[in-house]
Amino acid sequence: MPKTWKTVWITGASSGLGLELARLLDGDVAHVAMSARSEGKLKTAENSGKTLAAYPLDVTDAKAVAKCVGDIEKASGPIGLAVLNAGVWHLMDADGMDLDKISSGVKVNYMGVMNFVAALLPGMLERGGGHIAIVASVAGYRGLPRSIAYGPTKAALINAAETLKAELEPHGIKVSVVNPGFIDTPMTEDNPFPMPGIIPVEEAARKMLNGLERGKFEIIFPRGFVYALKALRRAPNALFFWIMRTFVLKKSR
């Protein structure tokens, strides 16, 4: 399908899935705004692209996020699609809880997204259109071992996306939630455990873009692994915890 957006904004765009999505859109979309904390990486991408523009940003700074929306729309027109992809990942056991890292996860993964939604909605509501895509994770389906600093933030994003879709759809605003499995990115390269179904970042970005162009609510990949997690989501608690004890915890140690 042809691209239907004139201006796209991608957060977490200095590496991984966000950067690869920006590269896919480069030249096909008139304006691709890229945000992340790493100004150097964003500028490198901007200099090598056709329609890429760097907007360095700390997603936890609500005032800076609101200003960035204004700067992008002043330079490029209304944001038609916002892909909220910034996130942090901390592997953590329950007996080694680090409150600073847990707080960082909440501030970046959840409140960072809420900062963007709050800044985007006034304009989208006034225009009666727009598309917000929230990148969550299958880690938000159920409580998985060693994900106390990550999984709960993604569960919150899935819940928020469902709420936003119900409320914003009557106003002409589309909402999508992206729930990937394992992707080969800098975020996962040091994981000390098996990653079933891991896919290249280029493939993940193509699947996400395809889902966004089709206006899907939930976008998942790779399907086999995600469907397995969906089955666990519906499993009785006794069966779920037996699987975690018997297979997941033993393999992750």
Side-chain angles (χ1 to χ4, degrees):
M1 294 177 63
K3 309 300 181 297
T4 58
W5 317 289
K6 178 184 175 184
T7 300
V8 174
W9 188 20
I10 305 171
T11 70
S14 62
S15 65
L17 186 59
L19 176 58
E20 193 59 37
L21 179 64
R23 287 171 173 165
L24 282 180
L25 292 169
D26 184 29
D28 286 338
V29 171
H31 307 282
V32 182
M34 306 170 65
S35 287
R37 285 179 296 181
S38 178
E39 183 174 0
K41 291 180 180 180
L42 289 179
K43 286 294 184 181
T44 298
E46 178 185 69
N47 292 335
S48 64
K50 300 173 184 176
T51 58
L52 305 181
Y55 288 86
L57 181 65
D58 180 352
V59 302
T60 66
D61 186 337
K63 291 182 179 179
V65 169
K67 180 180 183 301
C68 192
V69 170
D71 291 344
I72 293 170
E73 296 197 333
K74 183 178 180 180
S76 307
I79 296 167
L81 168 67
V83 181
L84 310 182
N85 172 67
V88 294
W89 155 245
H90 299 295
L91 191 67
M92 188 181 300
D93 294 304
D95 60 0
M97 291 178 65
D98 183 324
L99 290 181
D100 288 338
K101 289 182 178 179
I102 291 174
S103 177
S104 170
V106 173
K107 289 177 181 177
V108 175
N109 296 354
Y110 183 71
M111 285 307 301
V113 168
M114 292 301 105
N115 288 339
F116 285 104
V117 172
L120 288 163
L121 276 184
M124 288 187 174
L125 287 168
E126 183 178 354
R127 295 189 296 271
H131 191 167
I132 296 172
I134 295 172
V135 180
S137 168
V138 294
Y141 284 167
R142 290 204 72 155
L144 301 175
R146 311 189 77 182
S147 68
I148 191 72
Y150 181 75
T153 66
K154 297 302 183 176
L157 289 179
I158 294 170
N159 188 292
E162 292 170 347
T163 298
L164 290 168
K165 177 177 172 58
E167 293 193 17
L168 298 179
E169 197 169 46
H171 297 278
I173 300 172
K174 294 179 182 178
V175 176
S176 296
V177 61
V178 185
N179 287 324
F182 292 112
I183 306 171
D184 188 6
T185 68
M187 186 179 286
T188 61
E189 64 184 3
D190 294 326
N191 281 349
F193 52 80
M195 292 180 281
I198 188 168
I199 61 174
V201 68
E202 297 85 0
E203 179 182 348
R206 286 194 299 270
K207 289 181 180 296
M208 179 162 68
L209 180 56
N210 179 262
L212 292 171
E213 289 178 331
R214 293 163 60 194
K216 294 187 67 175
F217 171 63
E218 186 181 23
I219 301 168
I220 60 172
F221 47 85
R223 288 184 174 274
F225 178 69
V226 175
Y227 284 147
L229 269 292
K230 282 182 174 289
L232 281 180
R233 194 182 191 186
R234 294 173 172 80
N237 286 333
L239 175 60
F240 171 75
F241 292 121
W242 177 81
I243 291 172
M244 292 299 104
R245 289 192 304 270
T246 307
F247 299 103
V248 179
L249 279 170
K250 286 185 178 180
K251 287 186 177 181
S252 65
R253 299 294 180 180

